[in-house]
Structure formats: C-alpha cells, structure tokens
Amino acid sequence: MTVSHRARNAETFHALDFAQRAADLEAQGHHVVKLSIGEPDFGAPPAVLAAGRDALDGRPLPYTPPLGLPELRSALSDFYRDRHGVQVPAERIAITMGASAALLLATAATTDPGDEVILADPSYPCNRELVQSFGGTVVALPTTAATRYQLDADMVERAWGDRTTSVMIASPSNPTGTSIPFDELAAICELARSRGGWRIVDEIYLELSDASPAHTVLEVDPDAIVTGSFSKYFGMTGWRLGWAVLPPQLVGPVERLAMNYFLSASNPTQQAALACFTPETLEVCERRRRELGARRRLVLEGLARIGLPVPVVPDGAFYVYIDVSGTGLGAWQFCEQALDVAHVALTPGRDFGPTTGETHVRLSYAASRGELNEGLSRLGHFLASRRG
Amino acid sequence: MTVSHRARNAETFHALDFAQRAADLEAQGHHVVKLSIGEPDFGAPPAVLAAGRDALDGRPLPYTPPLGLPELRSALSDFYRDRHGVQVPAERIAITMGASAALLLATAATTDPGDEVILADPSYPCNRELVQSFGGTVVALPTTAATRYQLDADMVERAWGDRTTSVMIASPSNPTGTSIPFDELAAICELARSRGGWRIVDEIYLELSDASPAHTVLEVDPDAIVTGSFSKYFGMTGWRLGWAVLPPQLVGPVERLAMNYFLSASNPTQQAALACFTPETLEVCERRRRELGARRRLVLEGLARIGLPVPVVPDGAFYVYIDVSGTGLGAWQFCEQALDVAHVALTPGRDFGPTTGETHVRLSYAASRGELNEGLSRLGHFLASRRG
C-alpha cells in the first residue's frame, strides 16, 4: 500500500498545529492567549442562532440541491446588489461547505495536470495544496512590503507562461490583512483575462475591510471566480458554510463536481444562514467590523511599544504580519517560545510561503481586547527577558 | 479559459437531476411520489435534534480539530466496540463532511495519476468521479445477479494488474441493496492486501442490514479503509456528517489533506451527533431499521404484482434494483415516463454503470408506506396503460 504523492507531500497547516498545542496546554491548566487561528470570538449573530435552532424543529432536512438552497443563493445575489451594486444572478452562486470547498471546487474545475497557477508568497497555504492535489504547478511569486505582500500586474505579466491557466488572489489577504489597490486588482484581472486565464479571487475577508462597502472584483471583472464565506464577517467559522460566484461557463461543471464530491452543503446551516441578510444582523456585523478596527489599533500600538515591527499596516481581515527578525529568533522558534514561555499562540510564517517564512509571524487579533492586552503584555515580558 | 478535463468529463448524478425534476413538478402543483433519492423520510432522532439546538445556545463554535471532535471520535470507537466487537482506536477515526468527504479524502490519499482502482459495475457513481478526479483509472468490473451485483475474489484476482492500487467496495450496495457474503468480502480483502492494494470499503448502509449487528469488514481486515455516515441509519442526510476509519499509516496523511481541503467538519453538527449513541437513540434507529424491512416486503410484493422483476432480493439499505427490460422501455425512458406520466420519481441505472444502465432502475423505499403504495399503484396503472 502506497500513500499518494499528494498526501505524502501535503504540508501540515501549522496554524492548526499551534492551536492544538495551545489547547493541550490549556488542558494542563494553563491560560493560553490564542492569537493563532483566524476565528472571530464573536460567534454567529443571535438571529442566525435562532434560525438554526428553528431549522431543527423536526422539519425534513434532506440534501439541498448541489449548488444550495435557492433562497440562500437569491439572498446572496441580493446582498451583492444591495451592498456592492453588482448584478450576480443567483444561478451563478454555488453554496459550499465553507470557502474551503469553494476553493477546492474552483481549483478542480479549472486545473489540469501540468497547468501553472500564479499566486503570491506569502498567501493562504491551502491554495497551494489544492492546486498540487489536482496536478497543477504552483508558481508562487515572492512579494515584499513594497506591494503590501500582494501581486501586481507587472509581476503577473513577467511570470505568465505558456502553461499558466490561473491567477489566485486573496484581498484582503491572509496572513497580512492587506488588500490589493483596486486599480491594480483590475489590471491583474485584465491581464489574466487577456491571456485566457482564470481569475480566482478569494474575498472571504472583503466585508471586513476598512472601506465599507469594499470593492468586490466583480465590479470590474464579472467573470472572475470569487469565493466568499459565512465564517468571518458572519462569525460562523465552525459551521462550515461558504460560496463561490462562478462565470456562466463554470456553473454546470462545478455543479457536476459538487454533486459527486459533496452532494450538497448542510441543509440546516443553510437555513440558519438565511438570517444573515436582515438589517438587524448586518448591523450586528458592522458593529463587529468596527470593533475589529479598534482591536487592530490596540494591537499595532502594543506591538510598536514592545518593539515588534509590522512592516505593512493592514486594511482589513484581522491579521497583522509581524517581522520578528530583529528579535534574534527565527519565526518558528519565536512561535514555539511565545507559546511555551509566554503562553501566547501565534502562527509561524512558514505556513504562508518561504519568502517570509523564517522572518514573520501572523497574529490574529480576532480575540477580545482583554486577551489582546494580556497577550501583548506577555510578549513584551518575553522579549524583555530575552534582552535582559 | 479552459474548463478542466475532470470537470468537463464529470457525469451528472442523475438521481439528483430526477429529484430536481420531481421538485419542479411539485412546484407546479403535482403530487410526485419521490422514490429517486437515498434519503430516509425519518429525519434525525429527537435527541439529536435537541442536542443540535443546544449547540446553538451561544457557546463558541470554532473549527474543530481537522479529524473531528475528540469526544465524537471516541463515541464512534465505543460504538464499533459495543456493536461490532472490534477495537478501533479513536485516533484512527476521521470525522468528515458526509461520507462524501470521507470517500474524497480516502481517494486523494491513496490514488496517484495512472493508478488503477477496481470497483463493481453497477456501483455508486461518485466513486468513479473521485478516482478520475485524482488522476486514477477506474476498472469497473461488470457484475450480474449471480454475484448479487457485487465483486467476488475471482473477478478481482483476474482484473488485478501491475498498476492496480485499490479495490473499492460498498456492502450493502447502492443501487442494489445487496451485501457481499462475508467470507467473500474477507477473501477479496485478503487478495488485495496480498497484492499490496488498499481496500476501501463503504459501509454507510451497514447498520441498515437485515443482520443485526451486521459484520463490518474491520472484523477480518482491521487495516481496511472504511467509510461510514450519519446520513442513513441516523437519518441525517442533509446535515452532511460522516467518518472514515483509517489504517495507522493513513491517519497523518489524511489529517493533512483534511486540514487543507476542509479545515474541519461542522462543529454544531458534530455536537448534535454525540446524541446518536445513547440507548434511546439507538432504539429509535433500530425501530426504523425494522420499518424499512417492512417497506421492502411491501415493495417487493407490489413490484411482483405489477410485473416488475427484482432480480436480486436486497438484504440491506433501502433500494431495490428493478429490471425494466421486459417493459419494452429503456431504463432512461422508463424513468422519464414514470415521472412525466405517473409522477413517480425513480433513478435510471445509467448512474451506476453501463452494465445495467439501460435495463435497470433504482427504487428507494425510504418513503412512507402510504407513498410506497401510491407509487406502486401509479406504476401499475402506467404499465397497464402501456400494455392496454
């Protein structure tokens, strides 16, 4: 019996490993400040919880259609229209088990063995595994603070080759919380389109941008593949529900893959998610977005105070990407010691690519201000004790 | 922009298409007897619904570990011990978003491009798509009523080649409801093991066997990959929760793939599923199993009365696989006319492979006795009108 190459070569997602190590420490009675995982501490808004409970009242809960409950697809279509002013027919929206499954389906539907997919280093690690799992070759372009750790059109143009079929973008980005300037995003998409390439744009943090409403790529590239999620803005990480906006020619292919791979997303969770789009729930979510902005300021001030530089100030999501190279520790070591000594869980840059892998760590500020202050204080003492 | 070969070649799952056509007819005001989809009409047991509602009380619902909640993995381990007398450490159980995701992960972890995977024709269509999606070649062996439409060890031995890496089995089977005799199953697994091949055994209908407790392959092949589900026996189809039992050398690789592909299965659904393993819930499920047995007798008698032969009497699941070749209609035509004329939704054999694709249709008897009687009556009239 031989384990497949893709499984043998798959990288662990260290963010989850560090979270597990944090949980193990807590099980031993320690209080760990957990800033490693990209999960808001808010949870789902009250109306979503209530709708979820209502869905479990004994009514039938069969498989939904493979692309989701029609009423949820419609609600998302209305949301794109009302918030972003773009027309996205419900028929082009696929409801999926998290943005994870949306990215899996998008990759599976667009990547043949040998195809090259351009993406940024650093970026969300699972994208690389998905591309490779379906036989594609990842072309990870090193980025720097000069472009906010994002691709720009010049880079993409230089890297575009005969076998390139897609560019994958996330804006705002995980791990950096930085967005691509909108005209630059438009230029990248225009370039990829002109070369006959897919644009896979992950907008799961879009509604957690400083700009509100933020600009979706669909304003300038209606045929981009866009992934979204109920996890972040709506606080439903553990529920596993997301979506993809598909260009017309991908709807049928993705539907066929979705029915074979998954049958459908969860029926009760989809029913609960219908409560996301009321004015009341959106007001709850907007309050949370503003709270995350306040937490970011708190974290940036605190990190400056203890001497940990953040080379690029984020403009969305809930991450800061810290350069720890001045501490004399590699990023991995830094995360290990921060956890073991200071009981603060962070994520090493290695998850996100080699360019910043040994110099940067990701801090998720989706924790309460109290926890953030405690975490900053512990990191401060940890650094002081190293210097002292 | 080019759609990937896998997506272009993916077959639609006709069962879902016919279900959709049935739903469309119902939206027009018709009462359709829906016997096309493999979904019990029972729904989740009351204690599971209650636990699901409790999970939505505002408590944090973060991602779970990639292989699932430890307490749910333990509960399944206990279930295997108590019901089946096999020791399956919780560490070897992966909780997944339906058995669909379990099959996807099992295939991804064991199949390299060019690998050959042996399976039965007819069998569950999604397995073929999964193997092909990860670059494998499907070797579908035609079966007949003589082997209950299942593989036997002789067939597998003859088909085993240099590139064969796995055999995929489902027992009881979808679409036939037939199990492999246990000594034959053991012989197939022993053969595959001796050739260094994986045994992927789908047991999602195991607890809906006539024998109770039925024999899990783990009794004779503890290193088989076994997939299971909360969908069928526990009536949780639309919730999307299942599991895989993994041999030790696959636990790490599957965990890495699972975190990259899915992060985790749904947290609230896993909490709800903890209520599956109480004596009360199991008693509810056993009553349902007996009810399905009664429905099968009703359906077999009814089909005999109206002259539709079932070549092999099932011993589990909730399907009968009907030979319609005596009606003068191809199976596809039969399903179309049964739906359009008699308003009875069935699934054409084409879903399950070419051997029986044009001669057989699948009837799911997981509907109420009233609906089954009505469906049989309508089919009887439909056939009589064709003869008359």
Side-chain angles (χ1 to χ4, degrees):
Chain A
M1 282 74 76
T2 309
V3 177
S4 69
H5 283 88
R6 84 174 57 75
R8 265 181 287 156
N9 296 338
E11 287 282 331
T12 195
F13 192 3
H14 299 110
L16 300 189
D17 285 346
F18 272 83
Q20 186 58 52
R21 288 159 72 169
D24 293 344
L25 275 173
E26 291 208 311
Q28 293 163 30
H30 300 287
H31 168 219
V32 179
V33 177
K34 296 186 290 297
L35 311 177
S36 53
I37 296 285
E39 293 195 283
D41 61 332
F42 304 121
V48 173
L49 290 170
R53 289 191 300 267
D54 287 351
L56 304 183
D57 62 2
R59 70 185 74 173
L61 293 171
Y63 302 118
T64 73
L67 296 187
L69 286 178
E71 49 273 45
L72 184 57
R73 299 168 76 191
S74 286
L76 270 163
S77 173
D78 292 349
F79 182 71
Y80 274 107
R81 181 197 61 211
D82 297 344
R83 177 161 292 207
H84 294 289
V86 292
Q87 299 297 329
V88 181
E91 295 68 32
R92 285 178 43 203
I93 298 174
I95 308 294
T96 57
M97 292 195 278
S100 296
L103 287 164
L104 186 149
L105 288 165
T107 311
T110 58
T111 311
D112 272 323
D115 287 354
E116 290 181 1
V117 178
I118 292 172
L119 45 74
D121 172 8
S123 64
Y124 185 59
C126 306
N127 292 346
R128 298 195 294 275
E129 296 299 336
L130 288 170
V131 169
Q132 289 164 355
S133 274
F134 291 110
T137 301
V138 172
V139 179
L141 304 184
T143 64
T144 66
T147 60
R148 304 178 64 71
Y149 300 115
Q150 289 276 15
L151 301 176
D152 66 23
D154 284 347
M155 272 184 243
V156 174
E157 181 158 31
R158 281 196 300 275
W160 202 279
D162 291 345
R163 316 232 27 192
T164 307
T165 52
S166 303
V167 58
M168 290 183 95
I169 294 164
S171 185
S173 156
N174 175 3
T176 61
T178 59
S179 303
I180 306 188
F182 196 60
D183 53 351
E184 194 68 44
L185 178 61
I188 296 172
C189 290
E190 175 52 35
L191 172 86
R193 188 171 46 208
S194 73
R195 302 292 176 94
W198 300 102
R199 293 80 64 200
I200 302 175
V201 185
D202 186 354
E203 294 189 338
I204 76 167
Y205 297 104
L206 185 72
E207 308 306 336
L208 292 177
S209 301
D210 289 353
S212 181
H215 288 294
T216 167
V217 71
L218 294 165
E219 292 176 35
V220 290
D221 188 359
D223 285 340
I225 302 167
V226 172
T227 51
S229 178
F230 292 91
S231 289
K232 314 296 181 176
Y233 183 62
F234 295 109
M236 295 176 68
T237 48
W239 300 54
R240 314 309 301 119
L241 197 68
W243 68 86
V245 178
L246 302 167
Q249 74 267 40
L250 273 188
V251 173
V254 166
E255 183 174 29
R256 291 197 301 276
L257 292 180
M259 60 175 75
N260 279 291
Y261 292 179
F262 304 124
L263 297 181
S264 78
S266 162
N267 184 329
T269 301
Q270 290 184 70
Q271 293 196 47
L274 283 168
C276 285
F277 301 103
T278 64
E280 294 71 25
T281 299
L282 292 172
E283 178 45 40
V284 169
C285 294
E286 280 299 290
R287 265 204 308 276
R288 292 168 170 194
R289 187 176 66 81
R290 291 189 293 270
E291 167 63 18
L292 286 173
R295 292 181 187 178
R296 187 203 303 155
R297 288 188 291 279
L298 182 160
V299 165
L300 289 172
E301 285 164 19
L303 290 171
R305 203 165 50 236
I306 64 176
L308 283 177
V310 177
V312 181
V313 173
D315 56 270
F318 37 67
Y319 304 115
V320 292
Y321 204 46
I322 305 167
D323 182 351
V324 297
S325 53
T327 66
L329 291 171
W332 185 270
Q333 253 184 318
F334 185 93
C335 287
E336 286 206 315
Q337 295 194 17
L339 184 59
D340 294 340
V341 179
H343 291 172
V344 176
L346 301 164
T347 297
R350 202 178 289 179
D351 258 349
F352 309 103
T355 301
T356 56
E358 306 309 319
T359 51
H360 286 60
V361 308
R362 186 190 74 175
L363 180 153
S364 165
Y365 55 80
S368 71
R369 297 191 204 191
E371 286 293 283
L372 291 170
N373 278 321
E374 175 67 20
L376 289 162
S377 162
R378 292 185 187 184
L379 288 175
H381 285 114
F382 164 63
L383 290 169
S385 72
R386 276 188 49 80
R387 290 190 202 102
Chain B
M1 281 73 79
T2 310
V3 178
S4 68
H5 283 89
R6 83 174 58 76
R8 267 181 286 157
N9 297 338
E11 287 282 332
T12 195
F13 192 4
H14 299 110
L16 299 189
D17 285 346
F18 273 83
Q20 186 59 51
R21 288 159 73 170
D24 293 344
L25 275 172
E26 292 209 310
Q28 292 163 31
H30 300 288
H31 168 217
V32 179
V33 177
K34 295 186 290 298
L35 310 177
S36 53
I37 295 285
E39 294 195 281
D41 61 331
F42 304 120
V48 174
L49 291 170
R53 289 191 300 268
D54 287 350
L56 304 182
D57 61 3
R59 70 185 74 172
L61 293 171
Y63 303 118
T64 73
L67 296 187
L69 287 176
E71 49 272 46
L72 185 57
R73 300 168 77 191
S74 286
L76 270 163
S77 173
D78 293 348
F79 182 71
Y80 274 107
R81 181 197 61 211
D82 297 344
R83 177 161 293 207
H84 295 289
V86 292
Q87 299 296 330
V88 181
E91 295 68 33
R92 286 178 43 203
I93 298 174
I95 309 294
T96 57
M97 293 195 277
S100 295
L103 288 163
L104 186 150
L105 288 165
T107 310
T110 58
T111 310
D112 271 323
D115 287 354
E116 291 181 1
V117 177
I118 292 172
L119 45 74
D121 173 7
S123 63
Y124 185 59
C126 306
N127 292 347
R128 299 194 294 277
E129 296 299 336
L130 287 171
V131 169
Q132 289 164 356
S133 273
F134 291 109
T137 301
V138 172
V139 178
L141 304 184
T143 64
T144 66
T147 60
R148 305 178 64 70
Y149 300 114
Q150 287 277 17
L151 301 177
D152 67 23
D154 283 348
M155 271 184 244
V156 174
E157 180 157 32
R158 282 195 302 274
W160 202 279
D162 291 344
R163 315 234 27 194
T164 307
T165 52
S166 303
V167 58
M168 290 184 95
I169 294 163
S171 185
S173 157
N174 175 3
T176 61
T178 60
S179 303
I180 306 188
F182 196 61
D183 53 351
E184 194 68 44
L185 178 61
I188 296 172
C189 289
E190 176 52 34
L191 172 85
R193 188 172 44 208
S194 74
R195 301 292 177 94
W198 301 102
R199 295 78 63 198
I200 303 175
V201 185
D202 185 355
E203 294 189 337
I204 76 168
Y205 297 104
L206 185 71
E207 308 305 335
L208 292 176
S209 301
D210 289 354
S212 181
H215 288 293
T216 167
V217 71
L218 294 165
E219 293 175 36
V220 290
D221 188 359
D223 285 340
I225 302 167
V226 171
T227 52
S229 178
F230 292 90
S231 289
K232 313 296 182 178
Y233 182 63
F234 295 108
M236 296 176 68
T237 48
W239 300 54
R240 314 309 300 119
L241 197 68
W243 69 85
V245 178
L246 301 166
Q249 74 268 40
L250 273 189
V251 172
V254 165
E255 182 174 29
R256 289 197 303 275
L257 292 180
M259 59 175 77
N260 279 291
Y261 292 179
F262 304 123
L263 297 181
S264 78
S266 162
N267 184 330
T269 300
Q270 290 184 70
Q271 294 195 46
L274 284 168
C276 285
F277 302 104
T278 64
E280 294 71 24
T281 298
L282 292 171
E283 178 45 39
V284 169
C285 294
E286 280 298 291
R287 266 204 308 277
R288 293 168 169 193
R289 188 177 66 82
R290 292 189 293 271
E291 167 64 18
L292 286 173
R295 292 180 187 179
R296 187 202 304 156
R297 288 188 290 279
L298 181 161
V299 164
L300 289 172
E301 284 165 19
L303 290 170
R305 201 164 53 234
I306 64 176
L308 282 177
V310 176
V312 181
V313 173
D315 56 271
F318 37 67
Y319 304 116
V320 292
Y321 204 46
I322 305 167
D323 183 351
V324 297
S325 53
T327 65
L329 292 172
W332 186 270
Q333 255 185 317
F334 186 93
C335 287
E336 287 206 315
Q337 294 194 18
L339 183 58
D340 294 339
V341 179
H343 292 171
V344 176
L346 301 164
T347 297
R350 202 178 289 177
D351 258 348
F352 309 104
T355 301
T356 56
E358 306 309 319
T359 51
H360 286 59
V361 307
R362 186 190 74 175
L363 180 153
S364 166
Y365 55 82
S368 71
R369 297 192 204 191
E371 285 293 283
L372 291 170
N373 278 321
E374 175 66 20
L376 289 162
S377 162
R378 291 185 186 185
L379 288 175
H381 285 114
F382 164 63
L383 290 168
S385 73
R386 276 188 48 82
R387 292 190 200 101

